[in-house]
Amino acid sequence: MSDSNACPMCRSKLKTFISVEDRPMAICADCRHITWRNMPSDEEVAAHYQKVYSGQHAQKDLQESQREYYMNHLATLVGLSPRDENVVVDYGCAWPTLLETGKDVQGISRRIGIDYDEGAREYGGSVGIDMFAPHEISQKIEPRSIDIIRFSHVIEHLIDPAVVLDGIQALLRPGGIVYITQPIFPVLE
């Protein structure tokens, strides 16, 4: 686990400023990132996302309603790659509709979904997508084997984004694409 006094984004000093449900939150003096002072365990995070995103946000219906957008989005990302065949990863994919539409996008040789939701992983596996929980990445994906990785509205939910991005960098092929979007930043267009 990382230093609880260092910002998980820029590693600068954190300052506690508020407590929520008896759990102190801290803000970075430099980049203003807000984080928990005492981070939850991987098991607590997985249980939270299983309950909140799978159970309360109707991810399957939400993802399914975006099929056409996802197919066009993937085609755009693949079009940015210098390779003819690409391994595409969607980190935090929720219900893997984006990756499922990838079967109809030229230039994709392998689709990998990363998510805590066991039901989403089972479904993805049933339609030919390699699906893994976040803790399985280093054992299941070869170094320098990913061409495109997508983090869509995910970075802000990670316990330690810098550690995740460092780990992903080791899996990315030279010239690979990392696509990141957050609620406060515009999407690819």
Side-chain angles (χ1 to χ4, degrees):
M1 182 57 60
S2 61
D3 177 5
S4 65
N5 290 314
C7 174
M9 293 301 287
C10 73
R11 303 293 185 223
S12 294
K13 185 175 173 75
L14 290 172
K15 177 182 174 187
T16 300
F17 74 100
I18 193 172
S19 285
V20 176
E21 297 177 9
D22 296 325
R23 185 171 267 186
M25 295 191 81
I27 189 165
C28 176
D30 290 333
C31 76
R32 309 304 289 166
H33 178 75
I34 297 173
T35 187
W36 297 108
R37 173 64 76 184
N38 302 313
M39 300 306 280
S41 68
D42 284 341
E43 293 79 17
E44 289 173 311
V45 171
H48 171 77
Y49 284 107
Q50 184 74 28
K51 176 184 172 196
V52 173
Y53 282 88
S54 301
Q56 297 173 3
H57 283 163
Q59 280 298 306
K60 180 181 179 196
D61 294 338
L62 178 66
Q63 302 295 325
E64 290 292 329
S65 72
Q66 300 297 313
R67 272 188 178 274
E68 186 175 341
Y69 166 78
Y70 286 149
M71 189 180 305
N72 293 331
H73 179 61
L74 270 179
T76 300
L77 288 174
V78 169
L80 296 172
S81 174
R83 293 183 177 79
D84 293 332
E85 294 295 322
N86 295 273
V87 174
V88 177
V89 174
D90 191 8
Y91 194 108
C93 63
W95 197 259
T97 304
L98 175 129
L99 292 167
E100 188 176 9
T101 67
K103 72 182 183 306
D104 298 324
V105 175
Q106 289 212 353
I108 298 177
S109 59
R110 183 179 181 199
R111 298 164 292 148
I112 302 171
I114 309 296
D115 205 85
Y116 283 116
D117 187 317
E118 188 175 330
R121 290 194 316 265
E122 287 175 8
Y123 174 77
S126 77
V127 295
I129 301 166
D130 295 326
M131 298 290 294
F132 308 119
H135 71 275
E136 297 176 307
I137 296 170
S138 61
Q139 297 97 25
K140 305 278 185 168
I141 302 175
E142 293 292 320
R144 302 210 179 271
S145 66
I146 296 171
D147 299 296
I148 300 168
I149 184 158
R150 177 180 183 265
F151 292 87
S152 179
H153 298 252
V154 172
I155 293 290
E156 68 273 16
H157 296 279
L158 299 176
I159 289 175
D160 197 333
V163 167
V164 172
L165 291 172
D166 285 346
I168 290 301
Q169 182 177 358
L171 302 176
L172 200 63
R173 284 191 183 140
I177 297 168
V178 177
Y179 170 81
I180 300 173
T181 187
Q182 294 180 270
I184 60 170
F185 293 108
V187 294
L188 189 59
E189 291 77 21

